[in-house]
Amino acid sequence: MKKRLLLLSLSLQATLLLCADSVRTTVDMTFGWRFHAGDTTGAAAVATKDGAWRLVDLPHDFQIEQPWVAPDAAEEVDNSDPGANITSRLSGRGFKEMGKGWYRYHLTPHDSLRGRRLLLDFAGIMYVGDVYLNGELIGGTDYGYVGFEIDVTNKLRFGRDNVIAVMADTRNPENSRWYTGGGLIRGVKFVATQRDLFLARYPLRITTRENRFVSVSVEYTNRTRSKEIPVRLQIVSPDGKTVYDNVTTVRNITASRTVEYKLPVVEVCDAQLWDTEHPNLYTAKVSLLREDGTVADDYEEHFGIRTVEFGPSFGMKLNGRKVLLKGYANHHSLGALGAAAYPRAIEKRILLMKQFGINHIRTSHNPYSREFIELCDKYGILVVDELYDKWTRQYTGGRVPFEQLWQKDVPEWVKRDRNSPSVILWSLGNELQQDPNQPFNDFGVTMYRLMRVLVNRYDSTRLTTVAMHPRYRSWETDSLPCELAKVTDIQAYNYRYMYFPGDGRRFPWMTFYQSEASVAAMGQNYFEMDLNKVIGMAYWGAIDYLGESQGWPAKGWPQGIFDIALNPKPKAYYMKSYFVPDEPLVHIGVVDRKGSQPWNGVQTGNDSMSDHWNRQPGQRLSLITYTNAEEVELILNGKSLGTQSNNIADPKVRNQIRWNNVVFEPGYIEAVARTAGKVVARHRIETTGKPAALVAQADNDRWQADGVDLQHIDVRIVDDKGRIIQTIDDEVTFEVEGDARIVGVINGYIASNEMTVGNKRRLFNGHCTVILRAGRKPGKVTLSATVDGLKTTKVKLQTL
């Protein structure tokens, strides 16, 4: 019988106990790490005293804890624009100083572990990292977005203190164009298996066809004397029923070899298919058996039964039905949490974006965490899984040449994610045309072909692509696409959707995907595509993020339609109006400032907008009403300002109606949307009164006491009628009682100089958010929020 590994987390060390009849056991090494910011002598040595080092739990991003570094007077300013903001060497990295961090973990392996195969599994170390055991360098990563494992079977000292030391390094700011975070931003696990017969890392290859046939291949190592190994396969349906259970005997096995064996194909009758609306997940359970029938090793993984097709005449089909990708592409960071990959923070984003019609995410420009992919499986999000930015040393860690990385990274990446139904395409790179220093000096053609061969070795069921910008080689100005666009399986163009028709006529085999779309050209870059033929699109930077700042004091990308605290801006409702066309919608946006910022050769500047009605008397305003209805009437304090039709024939203005020279009067303004003469939606904004209270709303009603789960609490200031006062920016102070702690504070103002760690945050647009991390003791937690002049607000919570 299989038993679980027991992990006891003590103050300074963990003791690992393993039952004698355990099979495969996995322990999350989440708690009890010691951290030192910066380099220090002897950090890996066993004798080093680390009692004064800070105690941290994973995931942990040490970069987010660094102070903001403002550009100094010597930094250059774009003098062509008198109002230009100052940029610096740290603009891309979120104005955080780069550096090193050291982690140490003590563990005492119990004698019961002797004779077992023992592994350390790292999901990623940002940005490059080394791992030491008892002072010996035993492994590491040169590209921290990709995981790795280290066999420590013959290196651990049983019954004695062992020190695992990890060095994480982000010191070269030029090694990435965006905020990467730093440290152990993902999980670390301890894995124990039998030593003579065991499954490989990511051992299953699961494929489906015709929406009913399931094929499972198993990779394992046999060091026994037996030349016959029974392999048991069980398939469990989404509703928990076992639909297949059979043992296959693999014969003529060569001892000590790692082999991959394809089990007999299984037909699943009346399969529950996986799609965006019904993300049904089956479970494959594989067991390696000994001659006496006992289990030597086992493993299980979720998968979905579905078919994906691509073609120039229809774009993409999922289970035989045309599906259009309606998505976004962002970097991997998570606002106040930096790059620490908390599953609940990822889940919150996915659920929010689904509400606004998103069904697709591109993981630009690196693999996200495994938990992200699993959540996309769970919620029906279609993923373009991307491995790299540009294929040079500078953009892939900086420690070794790119040519030494890809042969290791591709197998790890593909094998990790290949069984996930959410993953529909592999993307190998991004915008190679902007850097002529690609391998083989042919702008990526040869390198792409080599990587595609390796991808297909581990997964032949998915196509591959590279996101291109511009679509021609940077030194050319002709109208033909670059050679890389002619050899990729899918033609992925960043921004240049207007070339789809012409390129399709010249090269009729091409199938097009707008891998990045400008939020400034939102709507137009959707409606001007032939939606029946394209795969779809991903809006670049739909959520504001740290890094890639267009100038201090902005700490990152400010052009999204959701702010960095995940509050929707008015333009988010514009996207929803056509991503969810069957849901009637109207939303008022008041233009506060015109946007004109270029980025990457593309106009990305969004108009700065708000949706409150607290203005200066007599102020003349420009408003936009976003709607998918036929017409909108605008009403100011009971007086109609007229009715305008939604000009659906013009892609540049479809679903957005502009109202100029609206003179502000205190009271309210309301947009009334009608279709076929009937009111289908309303949006009303009102002049608010004086502050009356703070109101707090938690988002997680199943908050788990697992030490990792999060609670995001939105705090807002309201008047005596409960209306949010968006013009108040007072500072809020937070206190927590109970087994939980604050791990982030944020508002939507990306130019704020406040830190995202601590217990204080100013309001922005009437909001701020505090993020709590649960402890491991179920019980009551109370959050207090205080602002000068108002009664303290308390939120009573419960961890389960």
Side-chain angles (χ1 to χ4, degrees):
M1 181 180 69
K2 179 177 177 180
K3 295 185 179 179
R4 300 301 298 170
L5 189 69
L6 177 64
L7 174 67
L8 301 177
S9 292
L10 307 177
S11 58
L12 291 179
Q13 69 177 24
T15 301
L16 294 171
L17 304 173
L18 185 64
C19 297
D21 57 350
S22 295
V23 185
R24 171 176 293 263
T25 53
T26 302
V27 172
D28 289 322
M29 296 171 62
T30 299
F31 309 106
W33 291 82
R34 291 286 177 176
F35 174 72
H36 181 281
D39 210 353
T40 182
T41 303
V46 175
T48 295
K49 303 297 183 182
D50 55 21
W53 290 25
R54 185 155 63 94
L55 192 63
V56 300
D57 299 329
L58 307 186
H60 178 249
D61 176 7
F62 70 75
Q63 207 72 59
I64 198 68
E65 301 169 350
Q66 305 302 311
W68 306 114
V69 180
D72 59 36
E75 305 280 7
E76 293 185 0
V77 180
D78 180 4
N79 294 320
S80 65
D81 180 359
N85 290 327
I86 301 175
T87 59
S88 79
R89 63 186 176 87
L90 295 176
S91 300
R93 305 300 290 273
F95 293 105
K96 297 283 189 179
E97 192 60 75
M98 303 297 101
K100 271 188 177 183
W102 280 92
Y103 298 82
R104 285 168 61 94
Y105 189 91
H106 293 256
L107 89 155
T108 304
H110 194 269
D111 281 345
S112 62
L113 287 168
R114 292 183 186 273
R116 304 305 171 95
R117 175 174 169 264
L118 308 174
L119 307 167
L120 293 176
D121 182 345
F122 288 81
I125 304 173
M126 197 52 58
Y127 188 24
V128 297
D130 295 320
V131 180
Y132 298 81
L133 178 60
N134 299 326
E136 177 190 356
L137 177 64
I138 59 171
T141 179
D142 295 313
Y143 184 63
Y145 295 107
V146 175
F148 60 97
E149 70 179 12
I150 305 171
D151 192 326
V152 294
T153 303
N154 299 318
K155 297 183 181 296
L156 285 173
R157 305 181 302 190
F158 298 96
R160 299 166 58 191
D161 180 40
N162 290 254
V163 177
I164 301 167
V166 179
M167 184 279 297
D169 190 353
T170 67
R171 283 178 300 170
N172 190 341
E174 295 181 356
N175 285 348
S176 180
R177 299 185 292 114
W178 56 84
Y179 178 86
T180 62
L184 292 174
I185 65 168
R186 299 176 186 172
V188 181
K189 296 179 180 179
F190 182 91
V191 180
T193 73
Q194 300 289 342
R195 208 165 180 172
D196 59 347
L197 183 58
F198 54 86
L199 293 160
R201 181 170 174 83
Y202 307 126
L204 304 186
R205 185 199 301 238
I206 307 170
T207 61
T208 65
R209 60 182 177 86
E210 299 179 26
N211 283 344
R212 59 193 177 109
F213 295 110
V214 178
S215 177
V216 179
S217 296
V218 184
E219 186 179 3
Y220 64 94
T221 298
N222 174 34
R223 293 176 180 166
T224 70
R225 294 182 178 180
S226 176
K227 294 184 179 296
E228 295 186 354
I229 302 296
V231 180
R232 182 183 184 186
L233 171 63
Q234 298 169 280
I235 296 179
V236 180
S237 70
D239 50 9
K241 297 178 181 178
T242 300
V243 297
Y244 181 83
D245 189 345
N246 190 53
V247 176
T248 300
T249 299
V250 184
R251 294 182 170 85
N252 300 319
I253 298 173
T254 303
S256 298
R257 281 192 58 193
T258 298
V259 297
E260 185 176 14
Y261 183 82
K262 184 176 181 180
L263 299 173
V265 174
V266 177
E267 182 177 3
V268 178
C269 298
D270 300 320
Q272 300 176 57
L273 303 185
W274 186 96
D275 62 27
T276 57
E277 301 303 319
H278 310 92
N280 295 305
L281 291 173
Y282 285 77
T283 303
K285 301 180 179 181
V286 170
S287 303
L288 298 181
L289 307 180
R290 299 187 183 277
E291 292 178 342
D292 62 1
T294 59
V295 177
D297 200 359
D298 58 8
Y299 191 89
E300 66 180 52
E301 189 162 8
H302 295 307
F303 69 97
I305 298 176
R306 54 96 172 117
T307 57
V308 176
E309 305 166 77
F310 294 96
S313 64
F314 57 84
M316 174 187 156
K317 290 182 181 179
L318 179 62
N319 300 328
R321 181 176 63 89
K322 163 71 178 179
V323 171
L324 187 71
L325 298 188
K326 303 174 181 178
Y328 75 100
N330 261 61
H331 294 303
H332 64 293
S333 58
L334 299 169
L337 303 170
Y342 286 92
R344 172 56 192 159
I346 298 167
E347 181 180 47
K348 181 178 177 67
R349 289 186 169 222
I350 289 173
L351 293 175
L352 170 67
M353 300 307 275
K354 278 183 71 75
Q355 293 176 18
F356 281 79
I358 293 289
N359 66 6
H360 159 56
I361 300 173
R362 172 184 166 216
T363 70
S364 44
H365 304 293
N366 48 260
Y368 288 8
S369 67
R370 179 59 192 162
E371 290 82 0
F372 166 83
I373 297 293
E374 290 172 342
L375 286 164
C376 289
D377 291 341
K378 178 180 178 179
Y379 290 112
I381 297 293
L382 301 166
V383 176
V384 173
D385 203 346
E386 192 156 277
L387 180 56
Y388 295 122
D389 187 20
K390 298 165 183 62
W391 299 334
T392 63
R393 181 175 188 155
Q394 178 180 354
Y395 296 112
T396 53
R399 195 155 72 165
V400 300
F402 172 76
E403 290 81 355
Q404 296 180 20
L405 284 178
W406 67 273
Q407 301 96 323
K408 298 178 182 178
D409 291 346
V410 167
E412 171 74 13
W413 169 59
V414 172
K415 291 175 73 174
R416 190 197 75 166
D417 292 345
R418 65 186 174 186
N419 298 326
S420 286
S422 61
V423 177
I424 56 168
L425 280 174
W426 303 115
S427 177
L428 300 175
N430 176 68
E431 296 182 349
L432 308 180
Q433 294 79 9
Q434 296 189 15
D435 188 340
N437 300 311
Q438 302 303 307
F440 306 105
N441 296 316
D442 60 359
F443 287 90
V445 173
T446 301
M447 192 72 255
Y448 167 76
R449 285 173 166 156
L450 289 171
M451 282 199 283
R452 181 172 59 181
V453 169
L454 191 55
V455 168
N456 289 340
R457 160 66 180 83
Y458 296 101
D459 176 39
S460 60
T461 68
R462 293 175 180 86
L463 301 182
T464 58
T465 191
V466 174
M468 286 167 256
H469 180 68
R471 74 186 231 298
Y472 47 81
R473 286 178 289 185
S474 60
W475 49 269
E476 291 180 339
T477 57
D478 62 45
S479 60
L480 293 177
C482 63
E483 292 303 310
L484 184 60
K486 299 174 187 176
V487 299
T488 52
D489 296 333
I490 297 296
Q491 285 61 50
Y493 294 177
N494 290 352
Y495 309 109
R496 303 305 187 190
Y497 69 94
M498 63 286 296
Y499 291 103
F500 290 171
D503 287 359
R505 287 191 296 270
R506 294 184 183 95
F507 308 102
W509 68 84
M510 289 185 169
T511 305
F512 297 103
Y513 161 54
Q514 193 178 172
S515 38
E516 289 180 22
S518 168
V519 289
M522 183 169 275
Q524 178 182 355
N525 52 21
Y526 176 83
F527 293 118
E528 287 185 343
M529 294 192 299
D530 187 339
L531 301 179
N532 293 319
K533 292 185 176 181
V534 299
I535 294 171
M537 69 191 314
Y539 279 115
W540 178 257
I543 304 173
D544 290 352
Y545 57 84
L546 291 173
E548 292 194 308
S549 170
Q550 294 170 307
W552 181 271
K555 308 308 184 297
W557 178 262
Q559 306 297 344
I561 56 173
F562 297 84
D563 67 32
I564 197 168
L566 301 183
N567 300 302
K569 303 177 186 179
K571 203 168 186 177
Y573 296 92
Y574 179 36
M575 181 186 74
K576 185 176 182 180
S577 74
Y578 55 86
F579 273 10
V580 192
D582 295 331
E583 182 179 321
L585 176 149
V586 67
H587 195 93
I588 300 169
V590 181
V591 179
D592 298 319
R593 186 179 67 254
K594 245 346 228 185
S596 60
Q597 297 91 336
W599 179 262
N600 209 8
V602 177
Q603 174 60 39
T604 59
N606 260 326
D607 292 347
S608 176
M609 303 178 74
S610 56
D611 51 7
H612 65 80
W613 202 238
N614 290 3
R615 311 285 170 172
Q616 295 299 316
Q619 183 179 1
R620 292 186 176 273
L621 304 169
S622 291
L623 279 63
I624 299 177
T625 50
Y626 298 121
T627 188
N628 49 22
E630 292 180 355
E631 63 181 26
V632 172
E633 181 181 12
L634 198 62
I635 301 172
L636 176 61
N637 295 331
K639 177 183 177 182
S640 177
L641 301 183
T643 298
Q644 294 192 56
S645 297
N646 182 0
N647 186 0
I648 62 174
D650 186 348
K652 293 182 175 63
V653 298
R654 181 173 177 173
N655 284 21
Q656 48 183 334
I657 300 172
R658 183 173 289 271
W659 309 78
N660 294 319
N661 294 314
V662 175
V663 179
F664 171 75
E665 297 176 6
Y668 74 89
I669 192 162
E670 183 176 26
V672 181
R674 297 183 178 88
T675 295
K678 296 182 178 180
V679 175
V680 294
R682 295 176 181 268
H683 182 223
R684 174 169 169 154
I685 55 179
E686 301 177 353
T687 305
T688 53
K690 296 180 179 179
L694 282 180
V695 176
Q697 183 174 357
D699 75 333
N700 186 354
D701 59 3
R702 299 290 300 172
W703 193 17
Q704 300 300 304
D706 59 5
V708 179
D709 199 14
L710 300 180
Q711 185 75 265
H712 295 74
I713 301 172
D714 177 50
V715 177
R716 56 188 70 179
I717 194 164
V718 299
D719 65 7
D720 58 2
K721 294 183 178 179
R723 300 173 298 191
I724 301 172
I725 309 173
Q726 293 194 29
T727 51
I728 298 293
D729 64 353
D730 291 352
E731 183 179 77
V732 183
T733 301
F734 300 103
E735 293 183 2
V736 179
E737 298 177 20
D739 193 19
R741 67 182 188 272
I742 298 172
V743 291
V745 285
I746 199 164
N747 59 34
Y749 186 40
I750 203 163
S752 172
N753 290 329
E754 298 172 285
M755 294 286 288
T756 63
V757 294
N759 72 327
K760 299 177 185 292
R761 192 72 183 193
R762 303 193 77 84
L763 299 164
F764 176 70
N765 288 338
H767 293 260
C768 67
T769 299
V770 57
I771 306 171
L772 306 184
R773 177 172 178 164
R776 288 179 282 168
K777 297 178 182 178
K780 295 180 180 179
V781 175
T782 300
L783 173 75
S784 299
T786 303
V787 68
D788 287 347
L790 295 177
K791 182 181 178 181
T792 296
T793 293
K794 294 191 175 185
V795 184
K796 297 185 181 299
L797 305 163
Q798 179 78 36
T799 59
L800 306 175

mmCIF file of all heavy atoms in Angstrom, residues 688-693 718-723 725:
data_model
loop_
_atom_site.group_PDB
_atom_site.id
_atom_site.type_symbol
_atom_site.label_atom_id
_atom_site.label_comp_id
_atom_site.label_asym_id
_atom_site.label_seq_id
_atom_site.Cartn_x
_atom_site.Cartn_y
_atom_site.Cartn_z
ATOM 1 N N THR A 688 -20.313 62.081 -6.064
ATOM 2 C CA THR A 688 -20.368 61.494 -4.730
ATOM 3 C C THR A 688 -20.261 62.564 -3.662
ATOM 4 O O THR A 688 -19.837 63.695 -3.908
ATOM 5 C CB THR A 688 -19.234 60.465 -4.553
ATOM 6 O OG1 THR A 688 -17.993 61.083 -4.892
ATOM 7 C CG2 THR A 688 -19.445 59.272 -5.457
ATOM 8 N N GLY A 689 -20.616 62.150 -2.440
ATOM 9 C CA GLY A 689 -20.550 63.046 -1.298
ATOM 10 C C GLY A 689 -19.243 62.905 -0.542
ATOM 11 O O GLY A 689 -18.239 62.410 -1.068
ATOM 12 N N LYS A 690 -19.234 63.326 0.710
ATOM 13 C CA LYS A 690 -18.042 63.278 1.537
ATOM 14 C C LYS A 690 -17.761 61.847 1.988
ATOM 15 O O LYS A 690 -18.669 61.027 2.101
ATOM 16 C CB LYS A 690 -18.209 64.187 2.753
ATOM 17 C CG LYS A 690 -18.348 65.665 2.411
ATOM 18 C CD LYS A 690 -18.523 66.506 3.668
ATOM 19 C CE LYS A 690 -18.639 67.990 3.319
ATOM 20 N NZ LYS A 690 -18.829 68.814 4.544
ATOM 21 N N PRO A 691 -16.483 61.542 2.308
ATOM 22 C CA PRO A 691 -16.148 60.189 2.787
ATOM 23 C C PRO A 691 -16.919 59.849 4.049
ATOM 24 O O PRO A 691 -17.001 60.644 4.989
ATOM 25 C CB PRO A 691 -14.645 60.279 3.073
ATOM 26 C CG PRO A 691 -14.154 61.400 2.211
ATOM 27 C CD PRO A 691 -15.283 62.396 2.163
ATOM 28 N N ALA A 692 -17.478 58.647 4.062
ATOM 29 C CA ALA A 692 -18.256 58.198 5.215
ATOM 30 C C ALA A 692 -17.701 56.927 5.830
ATOM 31 O O ALA A 692 -17.858 56.711 7.038
ATOM 32 C CB ALA A 692 -19.719 57.958 4.802
ATOM 33 N N ALA A 693 -17.062 56.071 5.017
ATOM 34 C CA ALA A 693 -16.601 54.790 5.557
ATOM 35 C C ALA A 693 -15.607 54.133 4.609
ATOM 36 O O ALA A 693 -15.554 54.453 3.416
ATOM 37 C CB ALA A 693 -17.793 53.856 5.786
ATOM 38 N N VAL A 718 -16.076 55.126 0.593
ATOM 39 C CA VAL A 718 -17.412 55.394 0.060
ATOM 40 C C VAL A 718 -18.059 56.552 0.808
ATOM 41 O O VAL A 718 -17.649 56.917 1.916
ATOM 42 C CB VAL A 718 -18.315 54.146 0.151
ATOM 43 C CG1 VAL A 718 -17.726 52.993 -0.654
ATOM 44 C CG2 VAL A 718 -18.531 53.735 1.616
ATOM 45 N N ASP A 719 -19.096 57.114 0.169
ATOM 46 C CA ASP A 719 -19.872 58.164 0.831
ATOM 47 C C ASP A 719 -21.027 57.531 1.589
ATOM 48 O O ASP A 719 -21.110 56.298 1.715
ATOM 49 C CB ASP A 719 -20.333 59.222 -0.178
ATOM 50 C CG ASP A 719 -21.325 58.673 -1.208
ATOM 51 O OD1 ASP A 719 -21.776 57.510 -1.075
ATOM 52 O OD2 ASP A 719 -21.655 59.410 -2.160
ATOM 53 N N ASP A 720 -21.943 58.361 2.094
ATOM 54 C CA ASP A 720 -23.019 57.830 2.932
ATOM 55 C C ASP A 720 -24.046 57.024 2.148
ATOM 56 O O ASP A 720 -24.915 56.386 2.728
ATOM 57 C CB ASP A 720 -23.708 58.957 3.714
ATOM 58 C CG ASP A 720 -24.274 60.037 2.809
ATOM 59 O OD1 ASP A 720 -24.177 59.901 1.565
ATOM 60 O OD2 ASP A 720 -24.794 61.040 3.335
ATOM 61 N N LYS A 721 -23.941 57.030 0.816
ATOM 62 C CA LYS A 721 -24.816 56.198 -0.007
ATOM 63 C C LYS A 721 -24.098 54.954 -0.543
ATOM 64 O O LYS A 721 -24.633 54.232 -1.373
ATOM 65 C CB LYS A 721 -25.372 57.017 -1.174
ATOM 66 C CG LYS A 721 -26.304 58.143 -0.743
ATOM 67 C CD LYS A 721 -26.886 58.868 -1.945
ATOM 68 C CE LYS A 721 -27.847 59.967 -1.517
ATOM 69 N NZ LYS A 721 -28.422 60.703 -2.686
ATOM 70 N N GLY A 722 -22.871 54.733 -0.066
ATOM 71 C CA GLY A 722 -22.128 53.558 -0.476
ATOM 72 C C GLY A 722 -21.451 53.672 -1.824
ATOM 73 O O GLY A 722 -20.981 52.672 -2.375
ATOM 74 N N ARG A 723 -21.349 54.894 -2.369
ATOM 75 C CA ARG A 723 -20.721 55.102 -3.668
ATOM 76 C C ARG A 723 -19.223 55.329 -3.505
ATOM 77 O O ARG A 723 -18.794 56.073 -2.634
ATOM 78 C CB ARG A 723 -21.367 56.293 -4.368
ATOM 79 C CG ARG A 723 -22.867 56.118 -4.618
ATOM 80 C CD ARG A 723 -23.519 57.379 -5.148
ATOM 81 N NE ARG A 723 -23.429 58.498 -4.210
ATOM 82 C CZ ARG A 723 -24.102 59.647 -4.349
ATOM 83 N NH1 ARG A 723 -24.913 59.814 -5.383
ATOM 84 N NH2 ARG A 723 -23.955 60.612 -3.463
ATOM 85 N N ILE A 725 -15.697 56.842 -3.862
ATOM 86 C CA ILE A 725 -15.197 58.194 -4.132
ATOM 87 C C ILE A 725 -13.832 58.048 -4.802
ATOM 88 O O ILE A 725 -12.806 57.841 -4.136
ATOM 89 C CB ILE A 725 -15.087 59.025 -2.838
ATOM 90 C CG1 ILE A 725 -16.415 58.970 -2.052
ATOM 91 C CG2 ILE A 725 -14.726 60.467 -3.157
ATOM 92 C CD1 ILE A 725 -16.333 59.623 -0.683
#
